């Protein structure tokens, strides 16, 4: 099964030591909870965290997911800083029983940038050419802006045999 969202995920093994430690610290302080609700829990929210190796962050707001990932620190010109969104404490203070992950991702320049410079993230790409093609086609179908590094996949002959 392939999803257009797959290439946008930030997987635990791709995060650097600082990002991994930031997530561990946020978890220890109660700012990160992985909410689960189901019939089996009588629809009560429970924290179903098991281990960090299973963590995938999907940047749901903004355009961080669309920044080109180069993985090579010498080639990269930006990084992601993982911080608390404050939502867990706010939710608990207003009668909530806990919520989902309360993190914010901040894109931070690691080099001086000029207007028009292409952003290159220090996280490696986790996507195969076929997955990037699916993402590019879905963005185009929905009329969303297509990052320049994905344009090549619209013209690419990558086919179902590579899926």
């Amino acid at each position: 099964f392939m999803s257009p969202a797959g290439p946008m995920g930030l997987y635990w093994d791709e995060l650097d030591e600082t990002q991994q430690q930031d997530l561990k610290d946020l978890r220890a302080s109660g700012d990160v909870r992985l909410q689960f609700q189901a019939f089996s829990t009588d629809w009560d929210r429970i924290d179903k965290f098991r281990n960090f190796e299973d963590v995938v962050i999907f940047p749901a707001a903004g355009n961080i997911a669309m920044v080109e990932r180069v993985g090579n620190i010498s080639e990269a010109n930006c990084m992601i800083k993982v911080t608390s969104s404050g939502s867990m404490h706010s939710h608990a203070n207003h009668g909530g029983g806990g919520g989902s992950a309360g993190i914010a991702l901040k894109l931070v320049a690691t080099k001086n940038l000029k207007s028009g410079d292409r952003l290159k993230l220090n996280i490696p790409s986790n996507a195969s050419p076929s997955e990037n093609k699916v993402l590019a086609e879905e963005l185009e179908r929905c009329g969303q802006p297509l990052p320049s590094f994905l344009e090549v996949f619209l013209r690419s002959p990558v086919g179902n045999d590579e899926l």
Side-chain angles (χ1 to χ4, degrees):
F1 173 73
M2 191 177 331
S3 164
M8 296 186 289
L10 303 172
Y11 296 79
W12 179 257
D13 291 340
E14 298 167 352
L15 301 176
D16 65 28
E17 290 179 17
T18 301
Q19 294 159 334
Q20 289 179 351
Q21 189 59 52
D22 288 343
L23 274 173
K24 288 178 180 179
D25 293 345
L26 290 170
R27 173 78 184 156
S29 70
D31 280 326
V32 172
R33 297 184 193 134
L34 299 180
Q35 176 183 305
F36 175 77
Q37 285 177 276
F39 180 76
S40 63
T41 67
D42 203 23
W43 300 108
D44 289 333
R45 293 179 182 179
I46 64 167
D47 185 2
K48 199 168 180 172
F49 180 85
R50 288 208 168 79
N51 60 59
F52 285 102
E53 290 74 22
D54 292 338
V55 169
V56 178
I57 301 169
F58 285 100
N63 290 318
I64 288 178
M66 295 292 108
V67 175
E68 181 178 9
R69 299 177 192 189
V70 294
N72 182 335
I73 295 197
S74 64
E75 189 181 345
N77 59 19
C78 59
M79 63 171 280
I80 289 180
K81 175 74 178 151
V82 181
T83 64
S84 171
S85 67
S87 63
M88 291 297 90
H89 296 298
S90 174
H91 185 72
N93 291 339
H94 292 95
S100 297
I103 62 171
L105 301 177
K106 297 180 181 180
L107 193 62
V108 179
T110 57
K111 296 180 180 174
N112 289 331
L113 299 171
K114 296 181 212 123
S115 178
D117 281 354
R118 194 157 136 187
L119 299 177
K120 296 180 179 182
L121 193 56
N122 69 334
I123 293 177
S125 174
N126 60 16
S128 70
S130 297
E131 291 169 319
N132 276 325
K133 183 174 180 70
V134 169
L135 173 59
E137 289 171 347
E138 188 64 19
L139 289 171
E140 183 180 56
R141 186 187 71 75
C142 295
Q144 295 298 313
L146 189 65
S148 58
F149 73 92
L150 284 176
E151 289 174 359
V152 67
F153 294 103
L154 287 179
R155 299 182 304 275
S156 170
V158 174
N160 290 336
D161 57 324
E162 293 185 36
L163 300 180

